[in-house]
């Protein structure tokens, strides 16, 4: 389920992030229409169809916008990141809002049927066709259904005419040629029911309750795209056909293509492929989805579930004001955005207080289908502290309105936005095709003009000088005018005494508390600017075929650099300090657990909150934690700020803060996290499977909550002291960076430290992991719905030290996944997303496994189990046929090839290029090993590893199952 409800939100923590802003119903309220005074854009039919002709905001001139005589819109953009690839998106202006009561869930069902037979592609052949051409189902081939949009997605691994033609053919088939065969519909019912079952979680139930409470009078809560079980089970194919014919029409379709192609040539292909498309039968009307009652008095609601995060929200609504995208509107909304971001920043600051009742807070605003405008103040609350959290957000809302903002707060937000825009402009030539395509699809709704980053930067700089604290305060106050009475809502793990009445009383009580003006804060300079005399280089070599330079300083710090042109002005930095989780023992498995949260403890001279202000306007982030064999972390920065990022990470190593406010936040967060550990089948397996597979090794088990709650910084300090003071250090840098500037920055920070050990301690005893000796079937209990279950079958394998065998085991797992999909999804209709994978350790010698997994109905556990073991037997007994191997191998090779143009692919190799140089052969030879694998090779591996009596079965079932 997807949608596009959130218009602007100042933090991703907003619960509204699950929703989407989607096109407007016909009866959308228009209180005001603003018309641009100076049209600077083309006045073509395409410009009018895309709704930018009248705007004074200049559209990106590199995009070819078009509209066919039949009404289908399209947009084409040549882009070469990643090289030789093409992204297709096709959007239909229809979703679950268009469904009648007896069609609830059929918009989503129709999305499924696009993959199940059309005039020119028989049922069951579309995915196979794409796999043969190198596209993986899910990763490269997907679709989503929202409240009023359905989007189909293809990511083509190359820009050949054949693939482009295939992609366009399939999109046209989707638009007008679906067969919707009744027998195929019946076969798909079980798959959709499986998807619905998997989505039936406490989070979805909470969302439905929220929508039902906040949007009374609208169809939103009753039109969740996944639909109802009754409709999915019983709706005839004719009801799907009805929805298809009325809404899958050219005038409701938008095609977007971004990639490494000639737009003129592709435009000709689009006109030839889609020009004769005509709608079938009468067109469907825009659905009437109702409206909220803006005169509704203040109200409250609660949602109780043992797994839910404790949270509080205060929402309010006003009628939507239709307004064109103009320079004046963007200037006004910039001022509003700054004010909203300051409110979120204040709540984030409060969340870091040692005695805070919240873990995080936010301000969010949303435009609801051009019906309403919504604002929400919210927070994740400490367990049991809903009343204090509700009062806090209510009072911070009033504080912002009554007393406004300080200039320091405004300047911090302006600095952050200026830096984000500067980074966007510097990276304009390496923008990613998928992100561009997704933004263009959103622009198809006509709500905003698609612009180049330089335009956004220019508009920002034209407005920013006028944004004083007084101006931002005035804009925010005006923004908050005219809203309905507040709707307060609390989610909690335990029933609230007094229920909604108590919540409303708490809100009214808080409103009587006077709020004081905020204090003007002053920012200190970053305290860690000098680490001593820069280190001297004692060794310097190159790995020419991989473009990696390796440097060693006199203090034994290792630095590895790979300069790339994949992303302009983007640099990844990795720090590895010998130690990590290998310092844990069987006797004391949690002795370094807090190290993963060291970043929250700040620095000796600066709290985490102070760092956020000090680093405003910089492409720098606090990043320090732990991994299996190292402390440290990785961060994304820019060439300009690389030196500061290095200083920050060095400061975390040399002057960790161990501040009590960070520890308090950890202790507030842990109960919230642990409450969900048994809420779903996947959660309970995630909690327990690691320990089971590792023969109940306590280092691989999820620790008891009370044990983690008892940990403190004082216990951690002596454990990590030697590693921090003396442990080997290896630094990896990948990206658009000057080598000498990189060396100078590291020499001045890590290179200036006292001498370190020259090599990482192998710690062989700490690397021993024994696979489960007891292979008896395990049953785990979750607290979700009775029918929800998950089955996993694990076969012990090996580590990843043998490259050829590791690559072939991964390929074997992909073959198994295809067979599982064909059997469990397509033939039996029991599972929406069965899977298989190989997990081969690079840290623990000899340790690894291959596994198959499937979420199923409790009643289907036995047949699913039998199917998985039958597939393992087939792989042992019969060589993989050529077509199946081709469909598994080609997407894998394409993905491996494409990943080599990503900085994130190279960072793990570069991060260990000195200490683990032998692993570089994996990059050199991995693709070759996959391409060389034969059916006989895979059969031999299946005979060796996929053996029934070695398998360990873990199933997760509900505590309500069978009752």
């Amino acid at each position: 389920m997807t949608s596009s409800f959130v218009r602007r939100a100042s933090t991703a923590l907003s619960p509204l992030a699950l929703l989407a802003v989607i096109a407007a119903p016909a009866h959308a309220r228009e209180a005001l229409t603003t018309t641009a005074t100076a049209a600077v854009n083309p006045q073509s039919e395409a410009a009018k169809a895309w709704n930018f002709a009248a705007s004074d905001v200049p559209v990106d001139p590199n995009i070819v916008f078009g509209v066919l005589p039949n009404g289908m819109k399209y947009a084409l953009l040549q882009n070469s990141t990643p090289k030789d690839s093409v992204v297709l998106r096709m959007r239909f202006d229809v979703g679950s809002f268009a469904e009648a009561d007896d069609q609830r869930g059929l918009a989503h069902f129709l999305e499924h049927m696009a993959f199940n037979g059309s005039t020119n592609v028989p049922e069951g052949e579309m995915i196979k066709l794409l796999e043969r051409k190198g596209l993986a189902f899910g990763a490269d081939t997907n679709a989503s259904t929202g409240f009023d949009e359905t989007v189909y997605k293809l990511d083509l691994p190359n820009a050949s005419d054949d693939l482009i033609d295939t992609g366009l053919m399939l999109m046209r088939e989707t638009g007008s040629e679906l067969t919707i065969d009744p027998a195929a519909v019946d076969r798909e019912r079980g798959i959709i029911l499986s998807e619905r079952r998997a989505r039936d979680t406490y989070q979805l139930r909470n969302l439905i309750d929220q929508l039902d409470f906040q949007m009374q009078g609208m169809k939103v809560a009753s039109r969740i795209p996944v639909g109802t079980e009754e409709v999915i089970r019983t709706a005839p194919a004719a009801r799907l056909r009805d929805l298809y014919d009325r809404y899958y029409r050219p005038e409701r379709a938008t095609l977007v293509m971004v990639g490494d192609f000639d737009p003129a040539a592709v435009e000709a292909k689009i006109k030839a492929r889609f020009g004769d498309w005509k709608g079938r039968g009468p067109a469907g009307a825009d659905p009437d989805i109702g409206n909220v009652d803006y005169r509704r008095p203040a109200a409250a609601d609660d949602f109780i579930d043992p797994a839910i995060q404790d949270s509080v929200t205060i929402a309010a609504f006003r009628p939507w004001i239709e307004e064109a995208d103009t320079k004046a509107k963007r200037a006004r909304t910039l001022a509003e955005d700054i004010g909203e971001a300051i409110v979120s920043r204040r709540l984030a600051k409060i969340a870091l207080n040692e005695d805070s009742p919240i873990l995080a807070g936010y301000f969010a605003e949303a435009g609801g289908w051009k019906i309403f405008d919504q604002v929400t103040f919210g927070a994740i609350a400490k367990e049991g502290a809903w009343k204090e959290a509700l009062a806090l957000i209510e009072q911070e809302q009033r504080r912002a309105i009554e007393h406004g903002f300080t200039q320091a707060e405004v300047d911090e937000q302006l600095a952050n936005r200026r830096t984000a825009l500067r980074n966007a402009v510097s990276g304009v030539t390496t923008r990613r095709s998928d992100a561009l395509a997704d933004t263009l699809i959103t622009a198809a709704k006509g709500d905003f003009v698609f612009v180049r980053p330089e335009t956004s930067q220019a508009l920002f700089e034209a407005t920013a000088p006028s944004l004083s604290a007084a101006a931002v305060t005035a804009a925010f106050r005006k923004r908050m005018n005219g809203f309905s009475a507040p709707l307060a809502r609390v989610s909690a793990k335990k029933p609230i005494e007094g229920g909604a009445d108590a919540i409303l009383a708490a809100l009214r009580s808080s409103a009587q508390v006077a709020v004081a003006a905020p204090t003007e804060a002053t920012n200190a300079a970053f305290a860690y600017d000098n680490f001593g005399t820069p280190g001297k280089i004692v060794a310097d070599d190159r790995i020419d075929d991989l473009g990696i330079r390796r440097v060693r300083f006199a203090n034994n710090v290792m630095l590895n650099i790979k300069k790339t042109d994949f992303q302009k002005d983007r640099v990844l930095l990795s720090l590895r300090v010998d130690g990590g989780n290998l310092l844990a023992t069987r006797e004391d498995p949690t002795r370094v657990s807090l190290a993963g949260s060291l970043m929250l403890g700040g620095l000796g001279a600066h709290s985490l909150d102070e760092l956020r202000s000090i680093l405003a306007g910089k492409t720098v982030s606090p990043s320090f934690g732990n991994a299996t064999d190292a402390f440290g972390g990785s961060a994304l920065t820019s060439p300009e700020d690389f030196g500061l990022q290095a200083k920050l990470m060095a400061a975390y190593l040399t002057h960790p803060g161990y501040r009590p406010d960070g520890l308090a936040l950890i202790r507030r967060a842990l109960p919230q996290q642990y409450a969900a550990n048994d809420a779903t089948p996947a959660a309970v397996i995630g909690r327990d499977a690691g320990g089971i597979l590792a023969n109940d090794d306590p280092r691989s088990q999820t620790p008891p909550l009370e044990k983690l709650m008892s940990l403190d910084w004082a216990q951690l300090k002596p454990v990590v002291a030697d590693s921090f003071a003396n442990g080997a250090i290896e630094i990896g840098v990948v990206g658009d960076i000057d080598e000498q500037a990189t060396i100078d920055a590291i020499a001045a920070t890590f290179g200036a430290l006292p001498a370190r050990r020259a090599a990482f301690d192998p710690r062989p005893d700490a690397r021993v992991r024994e696979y489960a000796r007891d292979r008896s079937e395990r049953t785990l209990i979750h607290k979700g719905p009775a029918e929800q279950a998950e089955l996993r079958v694990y076969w012990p394998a090996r580590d990843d030290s043998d490259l050829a065998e590791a690559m072939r085991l991964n390929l074997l797992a992909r073959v198994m996944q295809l067979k599982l999909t064909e059997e469990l999804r397509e033939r039996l209709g029991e599972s929406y997303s069965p899977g298989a994978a190989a997990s081969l350790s690079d840290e623990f010698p000899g340790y690894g496994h291959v596994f198959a997994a499937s979420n199923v109905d409790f009643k289907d556990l036995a047949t699913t189990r039998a199917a998985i073991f039958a597939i393992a037997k087939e792989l042992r007994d019969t060589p993989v046929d050529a077509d199946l191997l081709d469909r598994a191998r080609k997407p894998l090779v394409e993905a491996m090839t494409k990943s080599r143009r990503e900085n994130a692919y190279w960072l793990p190799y570069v991060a260990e290029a000195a200490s683990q140089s032998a692993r570089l052969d994996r990059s050199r030879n991995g693709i070759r090993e996959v391409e060389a694998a034969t059916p006989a090779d895979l059969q031999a591996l299946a005979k060796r590893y996929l053996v029934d009596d070695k398998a360990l079965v873990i199933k997760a079932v509900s505590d309500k199952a069978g009752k």
Side-chain angles (χ1 to χ4, degrees):
M1 179 187 79
T2 65
S3 49
S4 307
F5 181 63
V6 172
R7 178 158 59 99
R8 302 199 314 265
S10 50
T11 173
L13 289 171
S14 169
L16 297 177
L18 293 169
L19 302 174
V21 177
I22 7 215
H27 66 288
R29 181 185 300 250
E30 293 190 10
L32 173 68
T33 301
T34 301
T35 305
T37 57
V40 299
N41 289 316
Q43 299 300 297
S44 63
E45 291 302 313
K48 295 173 184 176
W50 281 84
N51 201 30
F52 60 77
S55 176
D56 61 352
V57 177
V59 73
D60 186 337
N62 295 318
I63 300 171
V64 176
F65 290 99
V67 59
L68 298 177
N70 60 16
M72 189 190 97
K73 295 187 294 187
Y74 59 88
L76 310 173
L77 176 60
Q78 188 173 16
N79 190 64
S80 57
T81 302
K83 289 184 178 180
D84 192 34
S85 64
V86 180
V87 172
L88 286 86
R89 301 286 186 264
M90 192 162 192
R91 177 183 184 272
F92 291 91
D93 181 18
V94 60
S96 56
F97 280 155
E99 299 164 348
D101 286 344
D102 68 341
Q103 291 178 314
R104 291 171 61 186
L106 295 194
H108 173 243
F109 204 136
L110 195 53
E111 171 211 312
H112 277 242
M113 295 311 298
F115 298 85
N116 281 280
S118 61
T119 301
N120 298 296
V121 182
E123 181 189 357
E125 287 300 313
M126 178 181 173
I127 298 302
K128 293 178 181 178
L129 168 68
L130 291 170
E131 288 168 345
R132 294 178 189 116
K133 295 179 181 291
L135 282 78
F137 184 45
D140 305 312
T141 307
N142 217 326
S144 59
T145 303
F147 288 103
D148 72 346
E149 70 174 355
T150 306
V151 180
Y152 295 89
K153 306 175 182 181
L154 290 176
D155 291 357
L156 307 182
N158 65 68
S160 67
D161 269 354
D162 173 62
L163 260 183
I164 289 175
D165 288 342
T166 299
L168 291 174
M169 180 272 291
L170 292 174
M171 292 302 190
R172 175 60 196 272
E173 291 287 298
T174 298
S176 65
E177 303 301 315
L178 299 188
T179 52
I180 314 179
D181 178 71
V185 169
D186 288 341
R187 283 188 288 271
E188 195 67 17
R189 295 185 197 275
I191 297 168
I192 298 173
L193 287 169
S194 170
E195 180 179 0
R196 187 182 187 282
R197 183 177 61 247
R199 295 183 187 277
D200 183 13
T201 63
Y202 63 93
Q203 296 103 321
L204 181 61
R205 293 189 290 275
N206 178 45
L207 174 63
I208 293 171
D209 180 85
Q210 173 191 331
L211 297 175
D212 186 53
F213 167 64
Q214 293 179 344
M215 301 177 192
Q216 289 181 9
M218 299 187 70
K219 290 184 177 179
V220 185
S222 66
R223 288 299 183 274
I224 297 296
V226 77
T228 69
E229 182 174 350
E230 180 183 2
V231 170
I232 296 167
R233 286 191 185 279
T234 63
R239 297 303 283 151
L240 280 161
R241 170 63 65 181
D242 167 77
L243 206 61
Y244 183 62
D245 288 348
R246 289 190 297 124
Y247 290 101
Y248 275 55
R249 308 174 69 88
E251 65 270 23
R252 285 185 173 270
T254 301
L255 177 67
V256 168
M257 294 180 64
V258 181
D260 215 351
F261 57 78
D262 174 14
V266 171
E267 185 175 33
K269 291 176 181 289
I270 289 172
K271 291 177 178 178
R273 178 70 66 177
F274 295 91
D276 63 349
W277 180 15
K278 296 179 181 178
R280 187 184 294 109
D286 288 338
D288 181 352
I289 64 172
N291 206 334
V292 298
D293 180 4
Y294 303 102
R295 295 170 296 181
R296 180 183 178 187
D301 176 54
D302 61 341
F303 178 83
I304 308 301
D305 190 283
I308 200 73
Q309 279 191 324
D310 289 50
S311 68
V312 294
T313 59
I314 302 172
F317 295 80
R318 70 182 182 188
W320 176 259
I321 298 175
E322 183 66 19
E323 188 176 9
D325 185 8
T326 64
K327 291 180 179 178
K329 177 187 176 183
R330 291 196 178 205
R332 190 196 73 242
T333 55
L334 174 60
E336 295 170 356
D337 286 349
I338 294 295
E340 294 163 7
I342 291 171
V343 174
S344 286
R345 179 71 178 89
R346 288 179 178 179
L347 291 170
K349 184 187 293 283
I350 292 170
L352 287 171
N353 291 341
E354 189 173 354
D355 58 352
S356 177
I358 67 172
L359 285 72
Y362 59 88
F363 174 99
E365 63 169 20
W369 307 283
K370 297 186 179 179
I371 296 289
F372 60 75
D373 184 10
Q374 177 183 358
V375 293
T376 302
F377 292 79
I380 306 301
K382 178 182 177 180
E383 185 173 345
W386 69 265
K387 189 176 297 186
E388 296 85 350
L390 185 67
L392 190 155
I393 62 172
E394 187 279 326
Q395 291 165 29
E396 287 305 316
Q397 174 184 352
R398 283 190 292 117
R399 192 187 319 277
I401 295 171
E402 293 178 17
H403 299 290
F405 310 114
T406 69
Q407 193 60 47
E409 290 176 313
V410 172
D411 291 344
E412 179 177 323
Q413 296 305 320
L414 288 173
N416 287 333
R417 287 163 192 269
R418 180 172 283 113
T419 298
L421 288 166
R422 184 181 68 238
N423 289 340
V425 169
S426 65
V428 68
T429 59
T430 53
R431 292 176 295 173
R432 298 192 61 85
S433 293
D434 54 354
L436 290 167
D438 290 340
T439 304
L440 274 168
I441 275 292
T442 305
K445 303 166 193 175
D447 296 334
F448 65 91
V449 179
F450 189 102
V451 301
R452 286 180 63 82
E454 298 92 334
T455 300
S456 296
Q457 184 184 51
L459 293 174
F460 171 85
E461 294 298 350
T463 303
S466 67
L467 296 182
S468 63
V472 172
T473 296
F476 184 77
R477 285 172 176 160
K478 187 175 181 180
R479 171 76 184 94
M480 296 301 296
N481 279 339
F483 280 92
S484 62
L487 302 178
R489 188 171 182 276
V490 175
S491 66
K493 298 175 181 61
K494 298 176 181 178
I496 294 171
E497 186 176 352
D501 290 341
I503 296 169
L504 199 55
L507 182 68
R508 289 170 174 158
S509 175
S510 174
Q512 304 306 310
V513 177
V515 292
T519 56
E520 184 84 34
T522 58
N523 287 341
F526 186 60
Y528 303 99
D529 198 51
N530 188 341
F531 290 83
T533 303
K536 302 296 184 183
I537 294 175
V538 296
D540 189 348
D541 68 357
R542 291 184 182 274
I543 304 172
D544 291 330
D545 65 322
L546 298 180
I548 299 173
R549 183 177 180 181
R550 300 186 296 190
V551 170
R552 183 181 287 266
F553 293 97
N555 66 349
N556 287 318
V557 167
M558 296 166 274
L559 168 64
N560 313 313
I561 308 168
K562 180 176 175 63
K563 181 177 175 61
T564 71
D565 60 359
F566 307 151
Q567 288 184 286
K568 181 68 174 171
D569 281 356
R570 292 291 185 273
V571 184
L572 289 174
L573 185 154
S574 165
L575 168 66
R576 301 180 66 249
V577 181
D578 188 18
N581 289 332
L582 291 182
L583 298 185
T585 65
R586 293 183 66 96
E587 296 72 29
D588 190 359
T590 62
R591 67 197 303 253
V592 290
S593 294
L594 279 182
S597 303
L598 273 168
M599 180 265 292
L600 296 176
L603 299 174
H606 307 299
S607 69
L608 178 59
D609 180 71
E610 290 165 348
L611 284 173
R612 288 171 176 168
S613 294
I614 291 169
L615 301 175
K618 304 294 184 182
T619 310
V620 171
S621 59
S623 177
F624 200 94
N626 64 334
T628 300
D629 64 349
F631 301 108
S634 61
L636 174 66
T637 184
S638 66
E640 179 180 353
D641 293 326
F642 180 83
L644 180 57
Q645 182 69 62
K647 290 176 182 177
L648 179 62
M649 296 180 85
Y652 264 104
L653 177 64
T654 58
H655 295 85
Y658 299 115
R659 290 172 173 263
D661 53 5
L663 184 62
L665 179 59
I666 294 167
R667 289 174 174 170
R668 290 198 300 275
L670 283 170
Q672 301 279 36
Q673 297 171 3
Y674 267 64
N677 276 353
D678 60 0
T680 66
V684 76
I685 289 178
R687 183 193 67 189
D688 292 347
I692 293 171
L693 294 173
N695 202 39
D696 297 324
D697 189 317
R699 293 167 295 181
S700 297
Q701 293 175 328
T702 300
L705 174 60
E706 55 273 18
K707 175 61 178 176
L708 290 185
M709 293 290 284
S710 71
L711 299 178
D712 58 32
W713 297 131
Q715 166 268 327
L716 178 67
K717 284 183 192 180
V719 177
V720 302
D722 179 65
S723 288
F724 282 22
N726 305 303
I729 292 177
E730 187 169 16
I731 295 163
V733 180
V734 180
D736 185 17
I737 191 75
D738 177 77
E739 287 186 355
Q740 190 57 51
T742 302
I743 292 170
D744 291 345
I746 300 304
T749 50
F750 295 97
L753 301 178
R756 321 285 297 191
R757 286 189 281 270
F760 283 72
D761 185 341
R763 296 187 171 86
D765 292 342
R767 293 181 183 273
V768 174
R769 289 294 184 275
E770 183 181 9
Y771 204 82
R773 282 175 285 179
D774 178 3
R775 305 293 168 81
S776 61
E777 184 170 310
R778 315 297 171 85
T779 300
L780 307 178
I781 304 300
H782 69 86
K783 295 181 180 178
E787 68 275 10
Q788 286 186 352
E790 183 160 341
L791 183 76
R792 296 194 187 183
V793 181
Y794 297 87
W795 292 270
R798 53 162 302 140
D799 60 28
D800 74 346
S801 58
D802 183 322
L803 177 61
E805 187 160 303
M807 291 294 101
R808 289 166 190 171
L809 276 169
N810 276 288
L811 183 57
L812 176 63
R814 285 198 168 228
V815 169
M816 176 177 274
Q817 174 152 344
L818 294 182
K819 292 178 77 67
L820 286 168
T821 299
E822 292 172 5
E823 180 68 11
L824 296 177
R825 178 180 168 121
E826 303 303 330
R827 196 183 76 80
L828 296 176
E830 289 183 357
S831 177
Y832 166 63
S833 56
S839 177
L840 313 176
S841 177
D842 63 345
E843 306 290 355
F844 305 113
Y847 193 73
H849 58 258
V850 176
F851 74 95
S854 182
N855 61 332
V856 297
D857 192 312
F858 172 75
K859 66 179 177 57
D860 295 325
L861 277 169
T863 55
T864 300
R865 187 185 194 283
I868 290 173
F869 278 96
I871 288 170
K873 184 176 187 302
E874 289 175 20
L875 292 171
R876 294 193 305 266
D877 293 349
T878 308
V880 178
D881 73 72
D883 180 64
L884 181 59
L885 180 56
D886 194 43
R887 291 192 288 116
R889 180 171 13 223
K890 280 191 175 180
L892 177 57
V893 170
E894 291 289 357
M896 293 173 72
T897 301
K898 187 163 61 174
S899 70
R900 296 178 67 85
R901 295 285 305 173
E902 303 285 350
N903 288 333
Y905 164 84
W906 285 105
L907 188 63
Y909 290 109
V910 176
E912 300 179 327
S915 62
Q916 300 286 340
S917 58
R919 292 189 65 81
L920 295 174
D921 280 341
R922 307 178 71 80
S923 178
R924 294 185 178 101
N925 303 321
I927 293 175
R928 183 186 313 151
E929 294 293 352
V930 172
E931 291 177 329
T934 66
D937 292 331
L938 300 192
Q939 184 180 11
L941 289 176
K943 287 181 176 180
R944 186 182 314 162
Y945 294 116
L946 303 184
V947 180
D948 289 358
D949 60 9
K950 293 182 179 180
L952 193 161
V953 176
I954 300 177
K955 62 183 180 183
V957 302
S958 172
D959 57 356
K960 309 166 194 66
K963 297 179 181 178

